Amino acid sequence: MTYRLEHIAICCKDLDRTAEFYGKLFNGVPTEIRKGAAGYRFCFVKIDGATPIQLMESKDKEGVHHYGFVTDDIEQAVKSYAEKGAVILRENRDQAGKLTTVFLQDPNGMEIEIRVPR
């Protein structure tokens, strides 16, 4: 299996202002703002071809929320994590029931997202 860092998700209190900040200071280009499954607003900010930053609007949290990786074999990755005793927080599946994303917890409580490439 191979892994590649896909994004870093940051919780922010004011999504519009934060996206504007990264645009103004770093020439970041935000994607369209969307709503997450849990109801929060989010977007990605792309900066000079680097791994994008995901901005997630939150009233009560600030700072890094999770790191996101992509892998070439999500099913094998999840099997490997279970065998190695990883803390699996949740799995997401598409409408056909195919596994698309898994969230793990590292020893410090940080969430790690592993997904299939988009």
Side-chain angles (χ1 to χ4, degrees):
M1 281 174 293
T2 61
Y3 295 93
R4 173 177 55 84
L5 182 64
E6 184 195 38
H7 67 275
I8 299 170
I10 301 171
C11 291
C12 56
K13 291 189 179 192
D14 185 331
L15 179 62
D16 299 302
R17 186 170 174 221
T18 305
E20 182 180 322
F21 169 86
Y22 283 100
K24 184 186 276 185
L25 271 65
F26 302 103
N27 297 320
V29 178
T31 62
E32 179 182 341
I33 293 175
R34 300 178 288 187
K35 271 212 171 175
Y40 58 86
R41 296 171 62 225
F42 74 97
C43 71
F44 288 87
V45 178
K46 299 174 184 178
I47 301 171
D48 288 332
T51 299
I53 299 168
Q54 179 183 12
L55 301 176
M56 302 169 57
E57 195 164 56
S58 174
K59 301 284 184 226
D60 57 344
K61 293 181 183 178
E62 292 181 68
V64 175
H65 182 270
H66 70 269
Y67 297 95
F69 292 88
V70 292
T71 185
D72 57 339
D73 190 341
I74 190 79
E75 296 285 348
Q76 182 58 40
V78 171
K79 182 179 176 187
S80 173
Y81 302 148
E83 290 170 355
K84 294 175 182 175
V87 177
I88 297 175
L89 300 172
R90 65 189 175 279
E91 297 178 0
N92 296 347
R93 297 181 180 276
D94 64 17
Q95 291 183 345
K98 184 176 178 184
L99 181 63
T100 61
T101 311
V102 63
F103 284 85
L104 307 175
Q105 187 174 54
D106 84 359
N108 305 294
M110 178 67 63
E111 286 190 27
I112 303 169
E113 175 186 7
I114 298 90
R115 63 173 295 113
V116 296
R118 295 176 204 229

